[in-house]
Amino acid sequence: MSTREEKLKAFGRLLDVMDDLREKCPWDAKQTNESLRPNTIEECFELCDALIKDDNHEICKELGDVLLHIVFYARIGSEKGEFDIADVCNKLCDKLIFRHPHVYGDQVASSAAEVCRNWEKIKQKEKDGNKTVLSGVPEALPSLIKAYRIQDKARNVGFDWEDRKDVWDKVHEEVDELKAELESGDKDRSTREFGDFLFSLINASRLYHINPDNALEYTNRKFIRRFGYVESKAREMGRELKDMTLAEMDRLWDEAKKRES
C-alpha cells in the first residue's frame, strides 16, 4: 500500500490536474455547481452500484470519479473566493474531532451503539447543528432511505421498540389496515396505508440490522437475472414471452431458481 507521502503526492497531483483542466479545457472551464450536480448524482449511484457488487476494481474507479467532483466544487468555490479544498478538509476534520469526544476528549463510549446515541446530542450542540432531531435528514433522499434514516435518528434519542419482536404486531396491523382500504376502493386512503405498511417493514429491517435498500436491490438483481434466464430459454425455444402462458413461464422461472440453489 502507498505511504503517507505517496498519498499526499497523489492528492497534490489531482489538484494540479484539476487546475489544468479548469484553465485549459473548454468543457471543464464552463462548468458550474448547477451543471455538475446531475453528474455528481450519477457518479454517486455508480459508486453505490459498485459497492453492492463488491467489485473492488470498480469501487476504486468510482471513488475517483466522486473525488473528482469534490475537488471540482472546491475549485469553483475558490474561484468565487468562498472556500477552497483546504477549507473543505479542515471543516471536515474539525467536525469529526468535535463529534468524537471519546477519541479526542475525555468522554467514554464502549460500543458503536453508544457512539450513535451520543451523535445526535453532539450535533445539536454544534453552532450550525440541527435544530430538531429529524431536521438533519435531507429532503431529497429517496423515500426508502429517508424512512430508514428517520427511524434511526429517532432511535438515537430513545424513541424505539423495547423488544424488536414487537414490531411484527405493527407490521400485521398495518397490512390488515391496508387490506381493508384496498377492499373499500379508496385510492387516497389505500396509498397512505400502503406507505404506513412499507414504513413498518423498513422499521423491522432496521431492528434486525438489515439495510432495506440493499436488501431490495439484491432482490431487484435476482429478479433481473432470473427473468433474463426465462427470456433466454424462450428464445432458444423459438418463442416470444408474450405468446407463452404463465404456467410455461413459471416452469422456466423454477429452472432459473434451481440453477442458483
Side-chain angles (χ1 to χ4, degrees):
M1 300 300 288
S2 303
T3 64
R4 180 180 178 84
E5 290 72 21
E6 289 171 332
K7 293 172 185 176
L8 292 173
K9 183 178 178 181
F11 189 65
R13 181 185 178 206
L14 173 60
L15 296 180
D16 290 340
V17 170
M18 183 72 257
D19 289 344
D20 286 342
L21 294 178
R22 189 65 173 170
E23 293 166 9
K24 302 172 184 177
C25 173
W27 186 89
D28 289 283
K30 68 181 288 189
Q31 299 310 306
T32 64
N33 287 342
E34 184 178 4
S35 69
L36 283 174
R37 181 178 175 274
N39 293 352
T40 305
I41 294 170
E42 182 178 343
E43 295 297 354
C44 289
F45 276 110
E46 289 179 357
L47 172 59
C48 290
D49 190 52
L51 289 168
I52 205 164
K53 290 177 180 175
D54 197 25
D55 185 330
N56 286 318
H57 174 76
E58 285 298 308
I59 291 171
C60 181
K61 183 173 77 70
E62 297 302 338
L63 281 171
D65 290 343
V66 172
L67 180 57
L68 169 63
H69 281 246
I70 293 170
V71 170
F72 212 144
Y73 289 119
R75 167 69 196 223
I76 293 172
S78 69
E79 291 169 3
K80 295 178 179 178
E82 298 291 337
F83 61 89
D84 61 19
I85 193 66
D87 296 313
V88 172
C89 293
N90 284 325
K91 282 182 178 294
L92 174 58
C93 290
D94 290 343
K95 180 169 67 175
L96 291 173
I97 291 168
F98 182 78
R99 291 185 184 179
H100 291 79
H102 53 287
V103 175
Y104 295 100
D106 54 8
Q107 192 177 98
V108 176
S110 56
S111 68
E114 194 171 350
V115 172
C116 289
R117 282 194 294 272
N118 293 334
W119 189 264
E120 294 300 328
K121 298 175 186 176
I122 293 170
K123 286 173 70 174
Q124 290 185 43
K125 290 179 182 177
E126 290 176 337
K127 179 180 178 183
D128 299 320
N130 301 325
K131 294 176 181 173
T132 66
V133 172
L134 301 182
S135 63
V137 180
E139 292 186 8
L141 274 180
S143 296
L144 190 151
I145 299 173
K146 185 192 291 187
Y148 189 92
R149 293 293 294 128
I150 287 170
Q151 295 167 4
D152 196 46
K153 281 184 173 289
R155 173 188 65 85
N156 286 337
V157 294
F159 191 76
D160 203 5
W161 303 90
E162 292 184 1
D163 187 334
R164 67 182 183 178
K165 289 184 286 189
D166 293 340
V167 74
W168 296 112
D169 291 335
K170 185 62 175 176
V171 172
H172 295 146
E173 174 190 327
E174 295 297 350
V175 76
D176 287 341
E177 291 177 1
L178 172 60
K179 288 177 179 177
E181 291 301 340
L182 291 170
E183 288 292 327
S184 75
D186 188 315
K187 181 74 177 291
D188 289 338
R189 292 179 66 87
S190 294
T191 299
R192 289 194 291 272
E193 290 299 339
F194 202 93
D196 290 347
F197 171 58
L198 289 176
F199 196 83
S200 68
L201 275 181
I202 293 167
N203 229 338
S205 76
R206 176 185 59 80
L207 289 164
Y208 284 85
H209 309 294
I210 295 171
N211 184 293
D213 189 63
N214 289 347
L216 182 58
E217 184 56 21
Y218 285 130
T219 298
N220 288 340
R221 292 174 185 273
K222 180 172 64 177
F223 185 91
I224 290 170
R225 188 170 60 248
R226 292 178 180 177
F227 196 79
Y229 176 86
V230 173
E231 285 186 298
S232 176
K233 296 301 288 187
R235 282 195 298 270
E236 289 178 15
M237 297 162 57
R239 304 284 302 279
E240 294 285 340
L241 290 182
K242 61 183 178 63
D243 298 324
M244 297 177 70
T245 66
L246 180 58
E248 288 175 319
M249 286 189 283
D250 275 341
R251 281 195 292 273
L252 294 177
W253 182 267
D254 289 338
E255 285 182 21
K257 289 175 64 176
K258 288 178 182 177
R259 283 166 55 89
E260 298 179 2
S261 60

